[in-house]
């Protein structure tokens, strides 16, 4: 196992002085999600989602009061969104389809043609400029009508999702080369069904969240098998799932802390990766044993953790062409001294999360800059799951409303350096997706946390988008295929360009980079 060096060369950004380069076929993109950017929450036949209901009923939890009713109004501004993708020179755009915009009551008996038309227009606009659509089928916004029937805690949700998948595959399969079935099952289930601070806010920790996890994972597998059976041979798109995979290290090398880190990884990484990518399939043994022991001690007649049948295990095994990795931060772990509610997910895991004091904090309280985590995550996934094909489907950094977002630039550069080391050590990473293309409604945080490469003026009628410093730096990295630690644009003006790897001499990025460095650090000193 190779160690990650924290020393930084002034010239190249690596302690060994080497320039590491993204290959010409490495893809770059940007992400958004329907509820967070579209607005038009009740226009043209769209149904109510759980996030519409949740934030309408609990507006006081939003720090700045900005919910998703209007958001960035991408429903009307999608051409400007595509223009921004063109300005950055991106290969693809990851966006989500709103289930209630397509099926207002959640069921396939009532298909909203206006909803289909919106996504047809967006996809066609992307294809017009050779930008690949990467479609997320479900990004948190469940139709409220389905939630009224139990939502993801209802086993019938597996069938509901499969029927929804049939509708959108039929409409868009011939246009879309990349599909993501579900985004972040842990957020959907542990936060939404186990907790109360995110939609639907059920608060059934240790029971409802586990029911949700099983059903969401099976729904993913059903959608994958549907595409595999009916569309794979003709259109050959890649279908995956996006998982929130934070890295965790033990607080120190004390045995108890090392064990705590292993447990936390099993509950937050292996929980979702094992059923699809492990040789044996199924949920991790550690998770099943631990929840069973606690359930028995708590007087339950059987484990609170649901069982997968042999047929369900086989359905899930191998049900992805790639692993979508949403990676933002790293935690340090030790056994908890706190008494958690019983039963609960927190009590089952029973750890305390912390950070190193030198890790810089973003605008979001939970987000610290520890980019080495993506390198260690790559090594872990390589070792445990035999080098899975991956796409970084989310990575980002939150700030206040500023245009010169230097902290995001630093975080991006350090992340790319660590990612390139992971690729060098064998990680099969096909692409990187920035979260987010533009500022959006960050769920319960409203617009108080800005993740966008583009600033959005939410007070303007047109929701004006303006490129940040990070947008130009990202554009430069895409063009040059290397990380230049000192490059800064002369202004924040950005124009549409289309990079062409075939027309660029491979030595050019290195030459330009060295000349820039010499000019800024020697001739001007």
């Amino acid at each position: 196992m190779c160690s990650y060096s924290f020393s930084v060369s002034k010239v190249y950004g690596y302690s060994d002085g080497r320039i590491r380069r993204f290959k010409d076929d490495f893809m770059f993109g940007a992400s958004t999600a329907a509820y967070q950017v579209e607005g038009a929450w009740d226009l043209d036949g769209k149904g109510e989602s759980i996030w519409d209901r949740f934030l309408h009923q609990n507006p006081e939890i939003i720090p700045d009061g900005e919910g998703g009713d209007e958001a960035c109004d991408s429903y009307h501004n999608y051409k400007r969104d595509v223009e921004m993708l063109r300005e950055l020179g991106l290969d693809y755009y990851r966006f989500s389809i709103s289930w209630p915009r397509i099926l207002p009551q959640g069921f396939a008996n009532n298909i909203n043609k206006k909803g289909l038309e919106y996504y047809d227009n967006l996809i066609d606009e992307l294809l017009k400029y050779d930008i690949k659509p990467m479609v997320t089928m479900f990004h948190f916004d469940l139709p409220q009508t389905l939630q009224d029937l139990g939502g993801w805690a209802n086993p019938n949700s597996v069938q509901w999702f499969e029927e929804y998948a049939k509708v959108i595959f039929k409409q868009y399969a011939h246009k879309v080369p990349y599909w993501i079935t579900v985004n972040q099952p842990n957020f959907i289930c542990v936060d939404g069904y186990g907790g109360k601070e995110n939609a639907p806010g059920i608060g059934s920790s240790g029971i409802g969240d586990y029911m949700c996890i099983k059903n969401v994972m099976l729904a993913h597998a059903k959608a994958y098998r549907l595409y595999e059976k009916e569309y794979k041979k003709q259109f050959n798109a890649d279908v995956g799932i996006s998982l929130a995979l934070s890295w965790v290290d033990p607080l120190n090398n004390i045995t108890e802390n090392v064990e705590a880190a292993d447990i936390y990884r099993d509950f937050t990484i292996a929980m979702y990766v094992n059923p699809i990518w492990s040789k044996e399939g199924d949920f991790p043994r550690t998770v099943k044993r631990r929840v069973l022991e606690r359930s028995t001690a708590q007087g339950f007649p059987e484990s609170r953790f649901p069982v997968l049948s042999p047929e369900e295990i086989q359905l899930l095994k191998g049900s992805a062409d790639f692993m979508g990795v949403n990676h933002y931060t790293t935690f340090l772990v030790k056994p908890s001294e706190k008494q958690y509610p019983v039963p609960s997910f927190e009590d089952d895991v029973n750890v305390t999360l912390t950070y190193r004091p030198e890790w810089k904090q973003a605008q979001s309280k939970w987000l610290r800059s520890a980019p080495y985590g993506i390198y260690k995550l790559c090594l872990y996934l390589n070792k445990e799951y035999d080098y899975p094909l991956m796409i970084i489907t989310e990575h980002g950094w939150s700030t206040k409303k500023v245009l010169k977002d230097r902290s995001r630039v630093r975080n991006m550069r350090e992340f790319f350096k660590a990612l390139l080391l992971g690729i060098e050590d064998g990680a099969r990473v096909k692409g990187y997706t920035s979260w987010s293309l533009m500022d959006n409604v960050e769920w319960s945080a409203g617009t108080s946390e800005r993740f966008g490469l583009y600033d959005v003026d939410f007070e303007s009628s047109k929701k004006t988008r303006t490129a940040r410093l990070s947008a130009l730096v990202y554009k430069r990295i895409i063009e040059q295929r290397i990380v230049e630690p000192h490059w800064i644009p002369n202004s924040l003006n950005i124009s549409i360009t289309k990079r062409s790897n075939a027309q660029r001499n491979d030595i050019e990025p290195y030459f330009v980079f060295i000349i820039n460095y010499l000019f800024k650090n020697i001739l001007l000193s």
Side-chain angles (χ1 to χ4, degrees):
M1 181 180 294
C2 298
S3 62
Y4 180 83
S5 174
F6 290 90
S7 60
V8 178
S9 163
K10 290 183 179 180
V11 179
Y12 300 112
Y14 292 101
S15 60
D16 60 8
R18 291 179 53 201
I19 298 176
R20 288 169 172 84
R21 184 178 185 276
F22 288 104
K23 292 183 178 179
D24 288 346
D25 61 354
F26 187 90
M27 304 187 305
F28 291 94
S31 303
T32 61
Y35 177 81
Q36 296 180 266
V37 300
E38 283 181 6
W41 80 275
D42 62 349
L43 291 185
D44 292 339
K46 177 186 172 293
E48 184 184 27
S49 78
I50 57 173
W51 275 95
D52 295 325
R53 174 74 62 87
F54 185 71
L55 292 184
H56 287 163
Q57 290 186 344
N58 303 281
E60 72 283 353
I61 69 174
I62 313 172
D64 60 2
E66 289 282 351
D69 289 5
E70 295 184 9
C72 308
D73 196 19
S74 286
Y75 190 71
H76 297 107
N77 292 319
Y78 70 89
K79 288 189 177 182
R80 170 59 181 141
D81 296 347
V82 175
E83 183 180 53
M84 295 188 296
L85 299 166
R86 295 170 61 203
E87 289 169 354
L88 294 171
L90 295 180
D91 299 297
Y92 64 93
Y93 179 37
R94 181 191 170 213
F95 64 94
S96 77
I97 289 178
S98 169
W99 188 341
R101 195 176 294 284
I102 300 297
L103 306 178
Q105 285 76 47
F107 297 107
N109 66 309
N110 179 19
I111 301 174
N112 181 22
K113 292 182 179 180
K114 283 285 189 179
L116 292 176
E117 181 181 328
Y118 167 68
Y119 295 109
D120 266 315
N121 290 338
L122 172 57
I123 291 170
D124 290 346
E125 187 76 3
L126 292 168
L127 295 176
K128 178 180 177 181
Y129 296 106
D130 298 320
I131 300 169
K132 297 179 179 67
M134 180 181 287
V135 174
T136 305
M137 298 164 65
F138 181 72
H139 199 130
F140 306 161
D141 50 350
L142 190 72
Q144 181 62 43
T145 48
L146 299 185
Q147 185 57 48
D148 293 340
L149 298 173
W152 288 112
N154 186 334
N156 290 323
S157 59
V158 178
Q159 181 183 345
W160 301 338
F161 187 71
E162 184 179 20
E163 292 172 352
Y164 163 58
K166 288 179 182 178
V167 173
I168 58 175
F169 283 153
K170 181 180 179 180
Q171 185 76 14
Y172 308 118
H174 64 294
K175 298 180 180 182
V176 176
Y178 295 99
W179 293 93
I180 294 166
T181 55
V182 175
N183 184 72
Q184 294 185 187
N186 66 324
F187 185 92
I188 298 166
C189 300
V190 177
D191 292 343
Y193 286 77
K196 293 184 177 181
E197 295 182 356
N198 291 289
I202 301 301
S204 178
S205 188
I207 299 177
D209 42 15
Y210 294 142
M211 296 165 64
C212 172
I213 289 170
K214 176 182 177 178
N215 294 332
V216 166
M217 294 300 289
L218 290 175
H220 150 77
K222 282 285 190 178
Y224 179 86
R225 300 303 178 194
L226 172 65
Y227 186 91
E228 183 180 51
K229 178 182 177 181
E230 298 190 12
Y231 297 98
K232 187 72 170 178
K233 186 175 181 180
Q234 183 177 2
F235 300 116
N236 198 34
D238 289 332
V239 182
I241 183 172
S242 284
L243 306 175
L245 304 181
S246 298
W247 181 246
V248 290
D249 275 325
L251 182 63
N252 53 43
N253 287 327
I254 295 174
T255 300
E256 292 81 359
N257 294 340
V258 173
E259 292 174 348
D262 288 339
I263 291 168
Y264 189 80
R265 290 184 201 122
D266 280 342
F267 273 85
T268 61
I269 299 178
M271 176 86 85
Y272 310 99
V273 179
N274 248 51
I276 301 173
W277 281 275
S278 69
K279 293 179 180 178
E280 69 277 6
D282 205 352
F283 293 113
R285 292 193 186 100
T286 305
V287 172
K288 294 190 293 182
R289 182 178 66 249
R290 195 172 176 89
V291 178
L292 174 60
E293 290 172 352
R294 279 169 160 69
S295 299
T296 301
Q298 293 157 5
F300 287 87
E302 57 186 12
S303 176
R304 291 177 280 105
F305 197 83
V307 175
L308 290 175
S309 69
E311 294 77 17
E312 290 169 337
I313 291 172
Q314 286 304 121
L315 178 72
L316 273 160
K317 279 182 66 177
S319 62
D321 299 318
F322 65 91
M323 183 190 303
V325 175
N326 294 357
H327 178 85
Y328 287 87
T329 195
T330 292
F331 301 98
L332 301 177
V333 184
K334 66 177 182 179
S336 180
E337 299 175 356
K338 180 180 178 181
Q339 190 69 37
Y340 291 111
V342 175
S344 69
F345 177 87
E346 291 78 12
D347 180 68
D348 291 338
V349 182
N350 197 38
V351 302
T352 294
L353 303 179
T354 186
Y355 310 90
R356 295 204 184 283
E358 63 269 24
W359 293 350
K360 301 294 185 183
Q361 180 180 324
Q363 179 69 7
S364 308
K365 292 181 179 179
W366 56 270
L367 182 52
R368 303 291 196 283
S369 185
Y372 82 93
I374 188 60
Y375 174 76
K376 298 190 79 171
L377 177 65
C378 284
L379 296 184
Y380 170 86
L381 294 172
N382 288 349
K383 178 182 177 183
E384 299 295 329
Y385 301 102
D386 194 24
Y387 297 83
L389 180 65
M390 295 181 279
I391 297 175
I392 307 299
T393 44
E394 286 184 29
H395 164 260
W397 183 256
S398 60
T399 65
K400 296 180 180 179
K401 183 177 171 58
V402 294
L403 289 181
K404 294 184 178 180
D405 53 342
R406 294 182 177 86
S407 63
R408 180 177 290 110
V409 169
R410 286 194 295 269
N411 179 263
M412 180 192 300
R413 283 172 169 162
E414 292 301 311
F415 181 92
F416 278 141
K417 285 155 54 181
L419 179 62
L420 281 165
L421 284 175
I423 293 171
E424 184 176 277
D425 282 353
R428 298 172 61 220
V429 182
K430 185 175 181 177
Y432 168 89
T433 323
S434 176
W435 184 271
S436 174
L437 174 62
M438 57 194 147
D439 293 338
N440 51 51
V441 175
E442 283 297 325
W443 310 108
S444 297
T447 61
S448 64
E449 301 171 6
R450 304 293 183 107
F451 278 87
L453 296 169
Y454 283 74
D455 170 86
V456 175
D457 182 357
F458 290 99
E459 296 181 1
S460 69
S461 60
K462 295 184 178 180
K463 311 297 180 186
T464 304
R465 288 94 152 114
T466 306
R468 288 194 165 101
L469 174 64
S470 58
L472 279 82
V473 171
Y474 187 35
K475 176 185 174 79
R476 175 76 175 186
I477 291 169
I478 294 168
E479 291 173 345
Q480 303 299 317
R481 320 301 282 185
I482 60 174
V483 180
E484 301 166 294
H486 302 293
W487 183 85
I488 295 294
N490 293 325
S491 73
L492 296 186
N493 294 328
I494 191 167
S495 58
I496 293 172
T497 60
K498 184 174 178 62
R499 63 179 173 83
S500 174
N501 291 326
Q503 296 175 355
R504 189 177 62 244
N505 190 316
D506 284 346
I507 197 65
E508 180 185 346
Y510 300 87
F511 180 76
V512 172
F513 172 58
I514 292 170
I515 292 299
N516 282 344
Y517 173 80
L518 292 173
F519 181 76
K520 290 183 178 180
N521 292 274
I522 297 177
L523 297 179
L524 295 181
S525 62

